[in-house]
Amino acid sequence: MSLPPAPLSLAPLPVTPRPSALHRTGTFCARRPVWVITAWLLVLAAAFAGRHAVGATFGDEVSLPGSGTAIGAGLLEKSDPTAGAAGGKVVFHTDSGTVSDHAAALEATLRRLTRLPRVTAVAAPVTSTDGATAYTAVSFDRKLKSLGHGYTERLDEATAPARDAGIGVGYGGDLHDIVRAPADDAAAEATGVGAALIVLLLAFGSVAAALMPLLTALISVGVGLGVVGIVAGTLTFATSAPTLATMIGLGVGIDYALFLITRFRQYVIDGDDPRTAVGRTTAVSGKAVLVAAGTVAVALLSLYACGLTMIGRLGLAATVAVVVTAAAALTLVPAAMGLVGSRVDVLRVRRTPVAESSGDHDGWHRYARLVARHPWRFLSAGLALVALCAIPLFSMRLGHIDDGADPVGSTTRDAYDWTAHADGPGFGPGVNGSFTLVVDLAHATVSSDRIADRVTDGLSGTDGVARVAPPRPSPDGKVLVTTVVPATGPQSAGTAALFDTLTGTAVPAALEGTGATGYLTGSTAGHLEFRDTVTERLPLIIGIVLVSAFLLLTVVFRSLVIPLKAVALNLLTTGASYGVLVAVFQWGWGDGLLGLSESVPIESYVPMMMFAIVFGLSMDYEIFLLSRIAEEWHATQDNERSVGTGLALTGRVITCAAFIMTAVFLSFTGSPAVVVKMLALGLAVSVVLDATVIRLVLMPSLMFLMGRANWWLPGWLDRRLPRATV
């Protein structure tokens, strides 16, 4: 009796894991490069067309609802609508004789100013004691910025008789909104791109590989600027927003592309076909790009938490640029790599192509082993250098950059200097930064004359006050208005101290027992109150950024120790960058350099902006370094090998990226705007410190010292955290 055949036992077929979304995205773009590149070019054209169609507007007006300056301005506008009319000063000066020696030319100029479009009044000239300087107040029926820079030609035509007679003419007050030329970043962009091209050629050794990051970054920055312009049709961004977006977008755009193309070339060198290499590159390095861009975006958007619209929107403009460049890195760059393919090394400028590493015994591996042998020495030296750079931070003084920091010889700087250096009522250092005191009489219990006398007597004797104009009632009699002229200029620490004295003690003391309430308002008061608000809210921004970064890095690297070190080291970078800024701008080390003619305080919102940007950008380099360390750790569980390999594999690419971003940022120090100079220099310094001291010294030495403890994460927390690794 035969037995039935035994059933066949078939082994289960191996299941090929489905490629990740990033892998599929990269592969799709590599297979259809022409479609993807064409789509980006169409988006670029649409973005610029939309920007032109909506008529983007930019302005630097700061609103502090509920503040003393805002309340005072509101009371004054309600009681005397003409008091808040837009206007400025036309200043006349002669080095020999007096302005009145040319009375006919001066009268002709005043008549021409009266006939200018949108001019509602031209006041009688106010002349200095020696007669060498005079100015006239010119009022307009609309905000001066809306008249455009082209209106400068009309002003020059109107003041031509005075110039023809040998009288110098300057434009002060809010006329700077007209006569200052709009920022032209073309030269800065060209310089930054040129420097980046040189670095890329040296790094990649081929023209094709060097051009890809530049071209993709330029396209993405163009799209980002177009989107910012479209949004500016609805929201008013600060005038520096396009420059900031360009600076950040160009820097991170080139860097993200550089990281991707470097990994792609390594895969090709290792034997992958180009399409496979693109998919693997996007899947692996694309995650790091997403985390890096997300960190920057969170840091920038946290600026909204300060409650200051202008600063929040600056962060939004930069975020748009970062998000667009990240999208380009994950789609446009893979398409470019797919289009170029194996031809990535054509037109070589180096005999042998090099990508991530040239072997286990190259300079980067030897350096890593050196740090591993002497971690305490490297840690001590790095901390000492960062501490040295941070020393000036403790003398930082915040303020507002006004016309006194404009280039020597400009019409705005001439007007500022002539009025500041002259003597007499309406002249002197403080006239460029005077305070307007508005006294609310709604609940006054004594006569307005009595209140006026008390204000004059009480404030005239205050230290730092040059003079107090006789208080005058408004047309409806509901408020008293007077001008308090400081003895120092608006950028002086003395003027800031006087503001604190007036608001804190002098004005309340002068009005005590009268039932009236006083408010300081005007441009200078507004900027100083803005400074105080920024200082008060900076800790909130720091807290939000630190907590957000820590949580994100904890999820990504499955460790509590690595995020803690990364956050702490980025704080050191920011502090050191602040210190360099103080030394260059406030201590005067930059006088004669960067187009500066004198020392200035740090613009009040620059530290807050810099913290968010520096923290985000610094995290970029650490994320790319730590991601390679994490890859090796998960494969070997050997901390020393992981740190050494990660440092060696990222050494060349991060160094090149840092060179590029530094060159881009430094190119913007040629901007005529001092605030842009501050941001550009501060960001450049932070990149240099982060790419050298932090990445090459402090981070690896700490990683070596802590060993396996670097990867400590409680089991209960590991089970509850979402999975998102790089």
Side-chain angles (χ1 to χ4, degrees):
M1 179 176 175
S2 61
L3 296 174
L8 295 176
S9 177
L10 300 177
L13 295 175
V15 178
T16 302
R18 188 167 184 255
S20 67
L22 286 174
H23 190 290
R24 296 196 303 272
T25 299
T27 302
F28 174 86
C29 295
R31 288 176 176 172
R32 298 171 177 81
V34 176
W35 290 11
V36 175
I37 294 172
T38 301
W40 270 96
L41 293 176
L42 290 174
V43 171
L44 175 64
F48 271 92
R51 175 191 176 106
H52 179 74
V54 301
T57 58
F58 301 89
D60 292 324
E61 292 186 4
V62 178
S63 176
L64 295 172
S67 65
T69 54
I71 294 173
L75 288 170
L76 183 58
E77 183 178 4
K78 185 177 180 180
S79 295
D80 185 5
T82 62
K89 294 178 180 178
V90 178
V91 185
F92 307 97
H93 177 78
T94 180
D95 292 327
S96 60
T98 65
V99 173
S100 61
D101 294 339
H102 308 280
L106 186 61
E107 290 175 2
T109 296
L110 296 178
R111 286 195 300 271
R112 290 192 178 193
L113 288 171
T114 303
R115 292 196 293 266
L116 284 177
R118 302 300 178 184
V119 170
T120 58
V122 176
V126 178
T127 307
S128 62
T129 302
D130 62 4
T133 305
Y135 67 81
T136 180
V138 182
S139 301
F140 294 80
D141 64 359
R142 62 174 57 186
K143 292 182 179 180
L144 299 186
K145 187 173 286 292
S146 67
L147 299 178
H149 180 60
Y151 197 89
T152 303
E153 294 183 8
R154 295 178 180 271
L155 287 173
D156 289 341
E157 291 173 0
T159 56
R163 287 194 176 88
D164 293 341
I167 300 176
V169 178
Y171 303 120
D174 289 343
L175 286 177
H176 59 215
D177 287 339
I178 294 175
V179 300
R180 282 181 184 161
D184 184 3
D185 300 324
E189 293 169 11
T191 302
V193 169
L197 178 59
I198 294 173
V199 175
L200 289 169
L201 285 172
L202 294 174
F204 284 133
S206 82
V207 175
L211 287 177
M212 276 196 290
L214 282 179
L215 295 177
T216 55
L218 289 173
I219 292 173
S220 62
V221 168
V223 173
L225 287 177
V227 173
V228 169
I230 292 173
V231 177
T234 304
L235 306 176
T236 299
F237 287 101
T239 53
S240 58
T243 300
L244 181 64
T246 301
M247 191 163 51
I248 302 297
L250 197 57
V252 300
I254 295 175
D255 278 8
Y256 291 165
L258 173 63
F259 288 121
L260 287 162
I261 294 170
T262 300
R263 176 70 70 104
F264 165 73
R265 292 178 78 233
Q266 187 64 52
Y267 285 146
V268 172
I269 291 172
D270 292 343
D272 281 359
D273 68 88
R275 287 184 179 177
T276 301
V278 172
R280 292 182 63 192
T281 296
T282 311
V284 178
S285 294
K287 291 181 181 178
V289 168
L290 283 178
V291 174
T295 304
V296 177
V298 168
L300 291 170
L301 290 177
S302 69
L303 292 170
Y304 267 108
C306 72
L308 301 172
T309 303
M310 186 193 80
I311 294 179
R313 289 178 182 173
L314 277 172
L316 176 61
T319 300
V320 169
V322 171
V323 170
V324 173
T325 53
L330 300 177
T331 55
L332 181 59
V333 174
M337 293 188 294
L339 183 65
V340 174
S342 58
R343 299 183 300 276
V344 67
D345 287 317
V346 298
L347 300 176
R348 293 182 185 175
V349 294
R350 179 191 289 134
R351 181 174 300 176
T352 304
V354 177
E356 290 184 334
S357 174
S358 56
D360 290 339
H361 301 288
D362 65 3
W364 291 108
H365 280 87
R366 291 194 296 272
Y367 174 77
R369 289 192 288 271
L370 178 63
V371 178
R373 289 196 300 270
H374 308 287
W376 282 110
R377 294 182 185 179
F378 279 85
L379 179 63
S380 300
L383 289 175
L385 179 58
V386 172
L388 181 65
C389 292
I391 288 175
L393 164 66
F394 298 100
S395 64
M396 179 184 286
R397 179 171 61 84
L398 301 182
H400 174 63
I401 309 301
D402 61 10
D403 296 352
D406 284 357
V408 174
S410 63
T411 57
T412 51
R413 179 62 179 270
D414 285 343
Y416 185 97
D417 289 343
W418 291 338
T419 54
H421 296 156
D423 293 322
F427 296 91
V431 74
N432 290 305
S434 58
F435 302 116
T436 300
L437 174 62
V438 179
V439 180
D440 185 6
L441 303 176
H443 303 288
T445 57
V446 299
S447 68
S448 61
D449 290 341
R450 175 60 179 157
I451 293 175
D453 291 339
R454 291 191 58 172
V455 167
T456 303
D457 296 340
L459 301 188
S460 296
T462 303
D463 289 341
V465 172
R467 60 185 154 277
V468 179
R472 55 178 176 80
S474 61
D476 62 3
K478 293 183 178 180
V479 299
L480 286 176
V481 184
T482 185
T483 300
V484 181
V485 181
T488 52
Q491 294 180 166
S492 169
T495 300
L498 176 61
F499 174 77
D500 294 336
T501 299
L502 291 174
T503 55
T505 58
V507 172
L511 298 176
E512 186 178 5
T514 66
T517 307
Y519 303 94
L520 285 185
T521 188
S523 176
T524 303
H527 288 302
L528 289 171
E529 196 155 31
F530 179 74
R531 174 209 62 180
D532 294 341
T533 303
V534 168
T535 303
E536 176 186 326
R537 298 178 185 178
L538 179 58
L540 173 63
I541 300 301
I542 293 176
I544 292 174
V545 173
L546 293 183
V547 172
S548 301
F550 181 83
L551 293 176
L552 177 62
L553 295 182
T554 298
V555 171
V556 169
F557 292 109
R558 319 304 296 179
S559 166
L560 289 178
V561 178
I562 287 179
L564 187 61
K565 287 189 294 189
V567 166
L569 293 178
N570 275 280
L571 281 175
L572 293 179
T573 302
T574 307
S577 302
Y578 286 169
V580 173
L581 274 192
V582 172
V584 171
F585 290 92
Q586 186 177 312
W587 286 8
W589 290 11
D591 289 3
L593 301 173
L594 303 178
L596 299 175
S597 59
E598 61 182 29
S599 60
V600 294
I602 305 302
E603 178 66 45
S604 55
Y605 65 85
V606 163
M608 184 178 286
M609 290 294 304
M610 266 194 61
F611 179 82
I613 299 172
V614 167
F615 202 90
L617 295 181
S618 297
M619 280 293 183
D620 277 9
Y621 295 139
E622 291 181 28
I623 286 171
F624 281 102
L625 168 63
L626 292 171
S627 66
R628 296 313 303 264
I629 294 175
E631 281 185 52
E632 191 68 19
W633 165 256
H634 293 310
T636 67
Q637 298 293 298
D638 184 331
N639 180 72
E640 184 169 323
R641 176 181 174 85
S642 300
V643 176
T645 301
L647 187 62
L649 290 178
T650 60
R652 177 179 289 105
V653 65
I654 292 182
T655 300
C656 293
F659 269 118
I660 290 169
M661 195 171 283
T662 301
V664 169
F665 290 155
L666 286 179
S667 67
F668 282 87
T669 58
S671 170
V674 179
V675 172
V676 174
K677 293 180 190 289
M678 286 184 180
L679 286 171
L681 181 63
L683 295 178
V685 170
S686 72
V687 169
V688 171
L689 288 173
D690 190 73
T692 55
V693 181
I694 302 300
R695 179 181 61 89
L696 295 180
V697 180
L698 295 179
M699 179 61 81
S701 61
L702 285 171
M703 295 287 287
F704 282 127
L705 285 170
M706 300 196 70
R708 296 182 66 88
N710 286 311
W711 309 99
W712 178 75
L713 182 69
W716 64 267
L717 183 58
D718 186 32
R719 291 188 295 271
R720 286 168 173 78
L721 288 176
R723 297 284 169 178
T725 59
V726 293

